[in-house]
Amino acid sequence: MTTVNNLFSLATRNLRQSGILVAFIAIVAFFAILNPTFLSPGNLTNIVLQYSYILILAIGMVIVIIAGHIDLSVGSVVALTGATAAVIVIRGQQPWWVGVLAAIAVGLLVGAWQGFWVAYIGIPAFIVTLAGMLLFRGLTFIVLSNVSLSPFGGTYYSIANGFFNGLFGGYGVDVFTLVIFAIGVVGYAVWQVRSRRSKLAHQQSVEALGWFIAKIVLIAAVVMWFGYQLATSRGLPFVLIILAVLIIAYSVITQKSVFGRHVYAIGGNLHAALLSGVNVRKVNFWIFVNMGLLAGIAGVVFSSRTNGAQPGAGNMFELDAIAACFIGGAAVTGGVGRVGGAIVGGLIMAVMSNGMQLMGLDQATQQVVKGLVLLIAVAFDVWNKRRAGAAR
């Protein structure tokens, strides 16, 4: 009976997160059964390469949503920053890193522009970013003179298409990739142990030791299996390193920093945050500057992946990023959400898109399925809140 209670407690302690993990596993299993090539090394590598920019956008978007805002302009910002890099690198024949820095600078300027209107003028983010979606799309057409630019080639192209392979040798299996994943697993285990010890020291409830060990072992096994699949394909993608650094950095920022606590405070209860002395205007401003930064990085990754810049690039990216956050457990009303949850939500979107493509479903059917999944995720959030309110 104790084992059953522990299992129930583990599954319900955070219903949003546990539910989304179960859904993710079920979706992966579903497509793996329908198509044996779904979990092949080559296809897993393609999923990482094809959807990395959506995951980068989701990291910034979840912070925006936690604070109670929304950003409808990120797709246009991706297009504008990619166009900026293309004009500098392709048309201007400048080094690749100049294009990268220029794209990120444009992203920061866009974030500062929108943050000013939201934080200091008081216009709702929905309106500001809706205007931004139109404004920055128009600027993209102007920057590109209504034509596409390609190819980048060289180092810039390798940002989203290159691999670490053969650095440590290995016959058919890249040892360097396995080493990096092993380091990641060890780091995760150490972080979990320290977190558990901290909770025990503060007399907080934790799962039974057996379940704690089983969780770490299971996650380690899945991560190392994924690393092995990449190692037997083309090695470790450059873009996966970029994504991993961003996930770790923003997980720390949102959970451990003063800025992160203020973001949650603003989204959870704006009036209480004001009374507590939180500089709401300043925090809101930097939230949008950060979103612009990540949109600039995503613009670099996407333009590198497609090896060019197009006026219509980034179309619907904002909806994919927003859907990833809500599917990953972010609350519609703000105050709730995690970077890890947004990444899992983004992976669900990526897995569904890739799996449906392998099944040969047309784009219309894919959009219908994605819409239904998003609706169900938000409905689950509403139900969970009602359930929590009834429990009180």
Side-chain angles (χ1 to χ4, degrees), residues 106-179:
V106 169
L108 289 171
L109 288 174
V110 166
W113 166 265
Q114 299 196 127
F116 168 76
W117 291 103
V118 173
Y120 294 104
I121 304 301
I123 301 176
F126 180 89
I127 301 300
V128 171
T129 59
L130 178 61
M133 179 174 67
L134 303 174
L135 171 63
F136 304 130
R137 181 65 65 182
L139 287 176
T140 302
F141 278 89
I142 293 172
V143 169
L144 291 176
S145 302
N146 293 337
V147 297
S148 299
L149 286 179
S150 64
F152 282 101
T155 304
Y156 193 99
Y157 174 77
S158 298
I159 293 173
N161 296 281
F163 297 84
F164 290 107
N165 198 324
L167 295 182
F168 291 171
Y171 183 74
V173 178
D174 182 48
V175 176
F176 178 76
T177 301
L178 295 179
V179 170

Side-chain angles (χ1 to χ4, degrees), residues 256-268:
K256 302 296 183 181
S257 72
V258 174
F259 174 77
R261 289 193 290 271
H262 286 176
V263 170
Y264 279 98
I266 291 171

Side-chain angles (χ1 to χ4, degrees), residues 6-97:
N6 284 336
L7 181 60
F8 181 78
S9 176
L10 183 65
T12 59
R13 184 168 297 151
N14 190 333
L15 191 57
R16 282 189 183 93
Q17 299 302 322
S18 60
I20 201 63
L21 287 174
V22 171
F24 177 62
I25 293 171
I27 291 171
V28 170
F30 173 76
F31 285 117
I33 293 172
L34 289 181
N35 194 324
T37 63
F38 177 76
L39 293 180
S40 65
N43 192 56
L44 290 176
T45 300
N46 286 335
I47 291 176
V48 173
L49 297 178
Q50 291 173 2
Y51 301 98
S52 55
Y53 37 87
I54 298 298
L55 298 181
I56 292 172
L57 290 175
I59 293 172
M61 188 65 73
V62 74
I63 297 175
V64 173
I65 291 174
I66 290 170
H69 304 298
I70 204 74
D71 191 338
L72 301 176
S73 68
V74 294
S76 296
V77 180
V78 166
L80 178 60
T81 53
T84 302
V87 168
I88 290 175
V89 176
I90 300 174
R91 188 177 292 168
Q93 296 296 303
Q94 296 298 311
W96 68 272
W97 57 268

Side-chain angles (χ1 to χ4, degrees), residues 118 124 143 158 165 193-194 196 231 293 322 333 360 368 375 385:
V118 173
V143 169
S158 298
N165 198 324
V193 170
R194 293 182 61 180
R196 177 183 171 84
L293 168 66
I322 292 169
T333 53
V368 169
L375 184 62
K385 285 182 178 179

